[in-house]
Amino acid sequence: MEIRPILSAMMRNKTAPLLIAAQVALTLAIVCNALYIIRDRLATAARPTGADEQNLSEIRFYPHRQITDIQDMQRRDIETIKAVPGVVAATWANQIPLGQSSWNYGGLTTDRGQTNSNIGATYYFSGEGDSLVHTLGARLVEGRDFEPGDYIDLNPALERKDPAVIIVTKALAEDLFPGEKSFVGRTFYLGSGDEAGAVRIVGVVEKLQSPSAPASEQAENSMIGPIHYLDPFSRYSIRTEPGQQDRVMADVEKALLALRNDRVLLGKRTFAEARASRYSGENMMAGLLIAVTGFLLLITASGIVGMASLWVNQRRKQIGVRRALGARKHDILRYFLVENVLITTGGVLAGIALALALNNLLVAELEIPRLPVGYLGLTMAVMWVLGLLAVLGPAWRAAAVPPAIATRTA
């Protein structure tokens, strides 16, 4: 089929083709970036924390009067928790992955004299009870877990000190010692200057996400210190047998409340609830964008159908004349499909430029990664298919009109 007559026909009546092309361009730009943001947000929300989330819970108590036997209280709490049937491991821990309340260390260095480090990490520590690595179900990929002699007592009201050894995530180790493959035995400093504490790596866990879990790679920068933290605020992480979480946590709550009357239950939650809370914004945004994308595609398809129907009706006489001169149904159908491909292609080319401009704005404002080329290709294909499907109905109806009726009713 000759393309030139189709282009000449469109040039004589530019309004409809330009409106369809503009709608295609705007839809492509928005849908392309929306699909990428949806994928990015859902991928972020699905990242593993490195913990056995399905079987982990946290329970917290706050004292309503002074507690003088803090270490003994923590020890008795752990004994009481572990006596509950179905408890696999339990420990006092200062925070949990995805908990959103975070203890952090900034400016970690491998040289005490270094002052410009931008490496930071979440600082987990736990004392009484099982090791935090075992309780969380994290996987050691190098070195060992803490031994009893590694732990230090720390009363935050009286002193500030750091342990001699530490466990780090693989991501943090690679940030601190780029290019290295083994990290056990390496030393780094919690800060810079003469007061920076030196710690030696004794173990590396594959993954342990931070409580804030930012979208950046910093989410995996975590370290664990062996510290008996003597704080009256009680916070216990508990891993249960599969399928026993609800029953076990109810029993744990009852047992701990019966143990003392000088504190109140501040709250309890599962790690799954912590995940849902942390990523509620990402999931809401993804759901909203999915709805907007679907609605926009529907509006675009409806617009193309409406424009195509109007345009076909305006050319019924032309169609009838072509049919009278011997054009078959599939010739008429092919004419309108080719015409639509040309219009859609014009819209797609404009849409690509618009999509890249919009992505540049989003990269600058929202700090999301740049749009991969694959998303442009996918959205281009979607728009071509959408355009063809939208025009197929009007074109088929036009091709089916007998020549005598088409010319008489024009």
Side-chain angles (χ1 to χ4, degrees):
M1 175 180 286
E2 289 288 339
I3 302 297
R4 185 174 296 175
I6 300 176
L7 291 175
S8 298
M10 287 193 295
M11 292 301 293
R12 286 194 296 271
N13 187 1
K14 303 182 184 69
T15 304
L18 286 176
L19 286 174
I20 294 175
Q23 194 169 16
V24 168
L26 184 61
T27 300
L28 186 147
I30 295 174
V31 168
C32 188
N33 282 281
L35 287 176
Y36 184 53
I37 293 174
I38 290 168
R39 187 213 65 85
D40 182 68
R41 290 296 181 261
L42 292 179
T44 298
R47 293 177 302 174
T49 61
D52 180 14
E53 294 180 43
Q54 298 304 312
N55 301 303
L56 280 166
S57 300
E58 178 192 52
I59 190 166
R60 295 167 293 156
F61 289 89
Y62 196 81
H64 56 76
R65 62 173 178 258
Q66 185 177 4
I67 295 179
T68 57
D69 57 337
I70 297 174
Q71 191 163 23
D72 183 62
M73 176 190 70
Q74 293 177 355
R75 187 177 296 115
R76 290 184 62 199
D77 284 346
I78 291 294
E79 291 172 352
T80 301
I81 293 170
K82 296 186 69 173
V84 174
V87 172
V88 174
T91 189
W92 188 101
N94 66 322
Q95 57 190 348
I96 62 170
L98 306 182
Q100 301 184 69
S101 176
S102 186
W103 300 54
N104 301 294
Y105 245 113
L108 303 181
T109 65
T110 54
D111 181 352
R112 185 176 267 133
Q114 185 179 352
T115 58
N116 60 345
S117 172
N118 61 356
I119 300 175
T122 289
Y123 194 17
Y124 290 91
F125 47 86
S126 68
E128 293 297 334
D130 298 298
S131 77
L132 187 60
V133 172
H134 174 56
T135 301
L136 295 181
R139 190 168 79 91
L140 274 169
V141 293
E142 185 185 1
R144 63 172 176 84
D145 203 346
F146 295 128
E147 297 172 349
D150 294 328
Y151 287 86
I152 64 170
D153 293 340
L154 173 60
N155 187 333
L158 302 176
E159 58 189 340
R160 179 189 178 279
K161 59 183 178 180
D162 299 303
V165 298
I166 207 159
I167 292 174
V168 300
T169 58
K170 187 177 179 182
L172 177 58
E174 289 173 345
D175 271 359
L176 287 167
F177 306 98
E180 299 293 334
K181 299 298 182 182
S182 180
F183 307 102
V184 169
R186 298 275 185 172
T187 297
F188 66 95
Y189 298 90
L190 304 179
S192 59
D194 295 336
E195 296 183 359
V199 289
R200 178 171 52 86
I201 299 173
V202 295
V204 179
V205 293
E206 182 180 38
K207 190 184 297 291
L208 183 57
Q209 209 168 85
S210 69
S212 56
S216 67
E217 295 178 356
Q218 293 291 318
E220 302 293 342
N221 280 12
S222 301
M223 54 188 182
I224 306 172
I227 300 173
H228 292 132
Y229 198 72
L230 306 182
D231 191 303
F233 174 66
S234 303
R235 189 172 201 158
Y236 300 106
S237 293
I238 303 165
R239 181 152 63 102
T240 64
E241 295 176 357
Q244 301 293 311
Q245 192 173 53
D246 291 341
R247 192 267 308 165
V248 169
M249 290 308 297
D251 291 346
V252 165
E253 178 185 344
K254 190 181 301 182
L256 290 179
L257 285 173
L259 195 62
R260 306 178 67 103
N261 61 3
D262 52 2
R263 57 186 180 179
V264 295
L265 176 66
L266 193 60
K268 65 176 181 178
R269 58 180 170 175
T270 65
F271 276 44
E273 290 170 340
R275 172 177 284 279
S277 175
R278 164 60 187 87
Y279 290 120
S280 60
E282 281 80 357
N283 291 326
M284 183 181 298
M285 177 182 286
L288 180 62
L289 287 176
I290 289 172
V292 168
T293 299
F295 183 70
L296 187 57
L297 290 174
L298 179 62
I299 292 297
T300 300
S302 301
I304 294 174
V305 169
M307 284 291 184
S309 298
L310 177 62
W311 207 4
V312 167
N313 287 332
Q314 290 175 345
R315 292 186 290 178
R316 288 172 67 86
K317 185 174 181 178
Q318 175 189 340
I319 295 167
V321 171
R322 291 195 61 197
R323 289 293 309 279
L325 293 175
R328 294 163 294 181
K329 288 183 178 180
H330 75 266
D331 293 323
I332 303 298
L333 183 64
R334 184 174 61 177
Y335 177 92
F336 283 108
L337 291 178
V338 171
E339 184 180 68
N340 178 267
V341 168
L342 293 175
I343 295 171
T344 303
T345 300
V348 162
L349 294 176
I352 290 174
L354 191 57
L356 293 175
L358 179 58
N359 182 248
N360 286 333
L361 177 63
L362 293 174
V363 168
E365 296 297 327
L366 302 180
E367 298 183 353
I368 65 172
R370 292 202 174 274
L371 187 68
V373 176
Y375 278 82
L376 287 171
L378 174 64
T379 315
M380 287 164 59
V382 168
M383 296 312 300
W384 271 315
V385 172
L386 183 67
L388 289 173
L389 292 176
V391 82
L392 191 59
W396 182 262
R397 289 192 298 273
V401 177
I405 296 176
T407 55
R408 185 173 67 243
T409 58

